Amino acid sequence: MYPKPLTYKKAKTLDEAFSMLSQNDDARVIAGGQSIMPMLKLRIASPSLLVDIAPIRELHEIRLDGNNLTIGAMVTHREIIESSEIGKNLPMLQETARHIADVQIRNRGTIGGSICEADPSADYAPTLLALDAKVVLKSSREERTVDLDDFIVGPFEVNINQGEILTSVIIPVNRSPYSVVKYARRSADFAVASMAAIVEKKPDGTITDIRVAVGAQSDRPLRMKELESLLKGQKPQKKDLYLEVDKAVEHLDPIDDIHGSAEYRKEVTANILKTNLGSLIFGGI
Amino acid sequence: MVENRHISITVNGERKEADVEPRMLLVHFLREIAGSTGTHVGCDTTNCGACTVLLDGRAVKSCTILAVQADRRKITTIEGLSKEPGKMHPVQKSFVDNHGLQCGYCTSGMIISAYWLLKHKKNVSEQEIREAISGNLCRCTGYDNIIMSIKDAEKRMEEEGDTLEEEQAVTVRK
């Protein structure tokens, strides 16, 4: 399969990329290409111009600024897995990257590209939502920083303007106990259900911080804020947790497709939440 | 009208130049221009891994990269693994000896993925092998003999002193 005919330009700097993007209303950015290439071939996307941002040096940086780790849009999944800076400061993100697709895709796919594709079943989003990540968007005119939660709009839709480039992701350092689960029939598939959670508690068991997000359960990945607020400040019993998880999962509205029926996806979500929130809150499995 | 672009890609140590449409996939460049038909088009949807090659030493799916993106970079295909013409690389040899293939369509991609694993890790476990080939589909073998082949290939590579290498320095047949 071939994409529709297109023009291709390589940008060496952000300014060069902005000027290329401004020449053409339906230009698209290509980073690692592991999301956009399949879309081009299926002709779901048919831009007349592709601007390759791979040569832009600053987009490859991983930088610790105070309490935030800034990860450039061009950083690949593999680089995230191998970065000692990320291992030290965001082990949860590293664990997430290990389960993305397969070796070949992790060698080439990037964090910026994956976020911009906004597949509701993709792997980073639940983790990044739990970590309160922000994205930095730049254009020739302005720079803005947006909460990832506001950046993701719906399936394959993000809050980005023509001419803007997602340049980096800013993630507050977090070494709290976490759980990341991806449930798929084959490891290289998209998730049928996925979750990411962080739980901090006092020695007496009272939950001081809890953040839970799920993927593949709606038209976009979701933070489960209601469930969080019900559990925060509490010392729940197992049966309370299970009851609240069941109630929270009731509200989800996952897609019904060949990878899993809506009912099945909800059941898997309830089970992985109970098991893994359970082990974070009560210890053991 | 879209203009062609002049690109130059080093395939198995040999420079291949051509004017190509920007939408040309790397796998088509390799097969049709470089003549490396050992690289296969399987699913053409980034799933099956039959088109796996090394791009600057990294295993990638060549159906999911534009040829223009690989301009001025180095590609190693199945034809470039062996350092001696006419002789198979230990990974290829062990696939043959362990019955690691039936129809053979997935094999070139499977071998590149196996090679990449064995160049990056020592004493690989079965789990690591399974993970390393999770991006390569085989519809014949049920994978067991492929896994056996890769385990055996590790031993053979060690015997031949074909050890871990830095990615950028992957040797290719000149």
Side-chain angles (χ1 to χ4, degrees):
Chain A
M1 288 180 292
Y2 265 84
K4 277 197 181 160
L6 49 84
T7 304
Y8 167 90
K9 288 182 176 167
K10 246 182 193 150
K12 287 194 197 72
T13 63
L14 271 179
D15 284 336
E16 230 177 75
F18 296 141
S19 107
M20 290 169 180
L21 289 172
S22 70
Q23 289 160 18
N24 192 318
D25 278 349
D26 85 313
R28 288 283 294 264
V29 166
I30 182 165
Q34 303 303 286
S35 301
I36 200 169
M37 280 301 301
M39 288 206 201
L40 293 176
K41 292 203 290 175
L42 293 169
R43 303 197 174 189
I44 292 168
S46 313
S48 54
L49 170 65
L50 269 186
V51 175
D52 189 347
I53 58 170
I56 305 174
R57 219 160 235 224
E58 64 182 278
L59 303 182
H60 293 261
E61 281 174 3
I62 299 171
R63 206 175 57 239
L64 187 66
D65 305 309
N67 198 41
N68 289 321
L69 206 65
T70 299
I71 302 177
M74 275 304 306
V75 172
T76 63
H77 312 321
R78 167 142 181 256
E79 285 161 347
I80 287 177
I81 294 167
E82 291 182 348
S83 158
S84 56
E85 198 79 84
I86 295 174
K88 261 185 288 178
N89 298 301
L90 287 170
M92 185 183 187
L93 183 70
Q94 206 162 52
E95 179 63 17
T96 305
R98 280 195 192 103
H99 302 288
I100 294 173
D102 54 48
V103 175
Q104 295 96 314
I105 291 170
R106 291 195 291 269
N107 274 343
R108 218 165 147 77
T110 64
I111 188 165
S114 175
I115 292 173
C116 286
E117 189 197 23
D119 187 306
S121 302
D123 301 294
Y124 280 127
T127 294
L128 292 176
L129 288 174
L131 288 167
D132 289 325
K134 295 176 192 298
V135 293
V136 179
L137 306 164
K138 287 187 186 172
S139 71
S140 54
R141 289 177 306 282
E142 60 165 355
E143 173 178 338
R144 58 190 181 115
T145 303
V146 182
D147 284 341
L148 181 67
D149 211 358
D150 299 324
F151 182 65
I152 301 169
V153 178
F156 309 101
E157 192 185 346
V158 291
N159 172 10
I160 197 163
N161 300 318
Q162 190 61 36
E164 265 183 328
I165 297 175
L166 186 154
T167 54
S168 63
V169 192
I170 302 177
I171 312 167
V173 166
N174 195 307
R175 304 181 195 93
S176 306
Y178 67 86
S179 172
V180 177
V181 178
K182 170 184 183 175
Y183 185 87
R185 280 211 49 193
R186 282 193 326 127
S187 68
D189 283 347
F190 274 97
V192 164
S194 66
M195 63 154 283
I198 296 168
V199 175
E200 290 260 36
K201 48 183 190 172
K202 284 195 212 158
D204 76 348
T206 309
I207 297 172
T208 53
D209 187 16
I210 177 163
R211 304 188 229 158
V212 188
V214 294
Q217 300 307 309
S218 172
D219 59 353
R220 51 156 293 169
L222 294 171
R223 264 292 279 272
M224 304 189 90
K225 295 250 166 88
E226 237 173 280
L227 178 66
E228 292 174 9
S229 67
L230 283 164
L231 295 167
K232 196 171 169 177
Q234 306 295 311
K235 235 164 59 176
Q237 299 288 305
K238 225 172 221 176
K239 63 174 183 357
D240 303 327
L241 171 72
Y242 287 9
L243 200 70
E244 295 308 341
V245 165
D246 281 333
K247 272 197 247 167
V249 169
E250 274 296 294
H251 298 296
L252 298 173
D253 184 21
I255 192 172
D256 221 347
D257 70 7
I258 52 161
H259 301 291
S261 66
E263 206 181 331
Y264 175 65
R265 285 169 188 267
K266 280 164 81 164
E267 196 165 330
V268 174
T269 303
N271 286 337
I272 58 178
L273 285 172
K274 285 175 191 173
T275 309
N276 297 285
L277 279 177
S279 84
L280 284 171
I281 296 169
F282 311 113
I285 289 267
Chain B
M1 189 54 203
V2 173
E3 260 178 61
N4 283 357
R5 276 177 76 103
H6 186 78
I7 59 169
S8 160
I9 303 176
T10 303
V11 182
N12 301 326
E14 249 178 76
R15 221 160 85 184
K16 302 284 179 183
E17 293 190 40
D19 290 318
V20 302
E21 269 195 84
R23 64 175 175 159
M24 175 180 251
L25 305 176
L26 177 59
V27 67
H28 294 307
F29 182 94
L30 294 173
R31 290 178 56 83
E32 290 156 25
I33 292 172
S36 294
T37 50
T39 305
H40 294 164
V41 181
C43 69
D44 208 357
T45 56
T46 329
N47 284 290
C48 81
C51 64
T52 303
V53 298
L54 302 178
L55 168 65
D56 289 339
R58 278 181 206 133
V60 297
K61 292 180 178 173
S62 62
C63 81
T64 311
I65 298 175
L66 295 169
V68 289
Q69 286 178 285
D71 187 19
R72 282 174 285 172
R73 301 180 72 173
K74 290 195 185 82
I75 300 287
T76 306
T77 67
I78 187 82
E79 291 95 335
L81 281 190
S82 169
K83 286 169 195 129
E84 277 175 63
K87 199 181 160 214
M88 279 191 274
H89 185 274
V91 184
Q92 291 171 299
K93 195 78 179 47
S94 65
F95 268 69
V96 172
D97 293 347
N98 291 284
H99 208 80
L101 60 141
Q102 287 179 32
C103 85
Y105 202 86
C106 72
T107 310
S108 41
M110 202 62 90
I111 286 178
I112 296 281
S113 287
Y115 174 87
W116 193 81
L117 168 73
L118 299 175
K119 281 290 190 188
H120 283 80
K121 279 195 183 136
K122 269 200 146 155
N123 305 318
V124 292
S125 64
E126 176 163 339
Q127 183 59 29
E128 283 170 328
I129 294 175
R130 285 181 181 275
E131 273 174 28
I133 57 169
S134 67
N136 294 79
L137 300 183
C138 171
R139 303 287 82 162
C140 305
T141 64
Y143 300 99
D144 282 358
N145 288 358
I146 293 177
I147 290 159
M148 240 153 56
S149 305
I150 299 173
K151 281 184 188 160
D152 186 32
E154 186 179 30
K155 268 188 247 147
R156 292 178 193 225
M157 282 170 70
E158 243 173 55
E159 280 163 20
E160 296 203 6
D162 196 345
T163 47
L164 306 183
E165 259 175 36
E166 282 308 308
E167 307 202 318
Q168 300 301 326
V170 170
T171 17
V172 287
R173 179 155 51 86
K174 287 276 173 329

